[in-house]
């Protein structure tokens, strides 16, 4: 089966610019996650969707980050305006359902560099 | 706060050496723990997981981990590593309060041929 797809794979922008990342989860997976992985650290959950509804966005910096999953399939994560500290790999993951028993499948990530 | 920590940031081994990567968690209650691996240029994937029952969990590619409740540990082991095990390894725990995965900082393993 096809895995989680993400684009672009790499992005370089200047601070104060905006950027958007796209994710296509595994077909049939109801739950979609966005993680931020700063160099030298483990992934940190930013937001979790169940179908097209937000389950948890408590760690999303809402003053500059936004995410949507309008039709319950693809999702976009946006940063506007970007700061230097946003340089990281942004990972998308999906799972059949929500909760500890559902394995999360990760995409290849988008590496963002903010200069 | 519930957290997961990995003490070794970088490990270098020769082929056929034994591997043990440390992982400690800081919370009580129901404990669900995971090890993920990221091979160079590939996506993060699940190696093994512990939910309940036998504290010795076997995963893919000859890896195993032991849940020791008294030590709050879930160390990853492999008796004999191969060059192809070169990767970054992440320990993670299910954060009961936040209903989410909490990852450790990762251990970068290099196996010399």
């Amino acid at each position: 089966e096809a895995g989680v797809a993400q684009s672009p794979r790499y992005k370089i922008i200047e601070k104060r610019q905006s950027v958007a990342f796209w994710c296509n989860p595994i077909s049939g997976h109801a739950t979609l996650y966005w993680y931020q992985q700063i160099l030298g650290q483990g992934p940190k959950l930013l937001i979790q969707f169940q179908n097209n509804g937000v389950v948890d966005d408590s760690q999303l910096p809402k003053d500059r980050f936004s995410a949507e999953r309008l039709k319950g399939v693809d999702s976009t994560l946006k940063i506007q305006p970007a700061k230097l500290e946003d340089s990281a790999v942004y990972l998308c993951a999906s799972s059949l359902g929500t909760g500890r028993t559902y394995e999360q499948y990760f995409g290849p990530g988008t590496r963002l560099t903010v200069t | 706060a519930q957290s997961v920590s990995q003490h070794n940031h970088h490990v270098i081994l020769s082929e056929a050496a034994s591997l043990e990567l440390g992982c400690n968690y800081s919370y009580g209650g129901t404990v669900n723990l995971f090890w993920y691996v990221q091979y160079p240029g590939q996506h993060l994937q699940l190696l093994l997981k512990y939910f309940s029952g036998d504290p010795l969990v076997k995963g893919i590619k000859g890896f195993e981990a032991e849940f020791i409740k008294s030590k709050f540990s879930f160390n990853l082991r492999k008796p004999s590593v191969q060059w192809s095990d070169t990767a970054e390894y992440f320990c993670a725990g299910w954060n009961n309060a936040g209903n989410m995965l909490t990852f450790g900082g990762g251990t970068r393993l290099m196996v010399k041929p």
Side-chain angles (χ1 to χ4, degrees):
Chain A
E1 76 185 352
V4 176
Q6 290 187 247
S7 68
R9 293 295 309 277
Y10 305 91
K11 190 75 177 177
I12 301 173
I13 62 171
E14 295 181 352
K15 59 183 179 185
R16 291 188 289 273
Q17 286 186 322
S18 62
V19 64
F21 312 127
W22 173 82
C23 172
N24 181 237
I26 292 173
S27 177
H29 280 197
T31 308
L32 185 146
Y33 314 79
W34 282 103
Y35 289 85
Q36 181 192 57
Q37 186 177 11
I38 293 172
L39 187 64
Q41 300 180 20
K44 184 186 83 171
L45 182 69
L46 292 175
I47 188 168
Q48 178 182 345
F49 292 94
Q50 175 78 3
N51 296 312
N52 60 350
V54 175
V55 174
D56 187 331
D57 64 357
S58 58
Q59 300 192 86
L60 187 74
K62 297 180 188 64
D63 57 333
R64 297 182 301 105
F65 286 64
S66 65
E68 59 184 15
R69 194 185 183 200
L70 292 175
K71 297 182 179 178
V73 180
D74 294 3
S75 176
T76 56
L77 175 70
K78 296 179 183 177
I79 308 175
Q80 182 179 11
K83 293 185 175 182
L84 295 176
E85 58 261 37
D86 298 332
S87 293
V89 176
Y90 290 85
L91 298 170
C92 180
S94 69
S95 61
L96 279 169
T98 300
R100 68 186 76 220
T101 60
Y102 291 97
E103 181 175 343
Q104 296 184 24
Y105 295 83
F106 287 81
T110 296
R111 184 178 296 276
L112 173 67
T113 302
V114 182
T115 63
Chain B
Q2 298 178 331
S3 67
V4 173
S5 60
Q6 295 178 245
H7 309 298
N8 311 104
H9 298 294
H10 293 91
V11 173
I12 301 174
L13 295 173
S14 297
E15 274 194 316
S18 63
L19 170 72
E20 182 159 4
L21 301 182
C23 172
N24 288 93
Y25 63 94
S26 69
Y27 54 96
T30 302
V31 177
N32 300 125
L33 297 163
F34 309 77
W35 275 97
Y36 283 81
V37 62
Q38 186 167 26
Y39 297 104
Q42 297 188 27
H43 55 271
L44 206 58
Q45 56 186 290
L46 183 66
L47 257 184
L48 50 79
K49 60 188 176 185
Y50 170 77
F51 273 60
S52 62
D54 189 345
L56 185 63
V57 179
K58 295 197 183 296
I60 60 173
K61 306 188 180 188
F63 285 91
E64 64 179 31
E66 186 173 12
F67 171 62
I68 303 180
K69 190 174 181 179
S70 61
K71 295 185 178 180
F72 297 91
S73 70
F74 188 56
N75 292 354
L76 182 70
R77 302 195 294 244
K78 187 171 184 179
S80 176
V81 293
Q82 300 172 313
W83 176 78
S84 57
D85 293 324
T86 293
E88 189 158 19
Y89 293 82
F90 293 92
C91 183
W94 188 260
N95 184 319
N96 298 309
N99 202 28
M100 65 178 75
L101 270 178
T102 298
F103 284 86
T107 298
R108 200 175 287 272
L109 170 68
M110 178 183 293
V111 179
K112 298 186 293 184

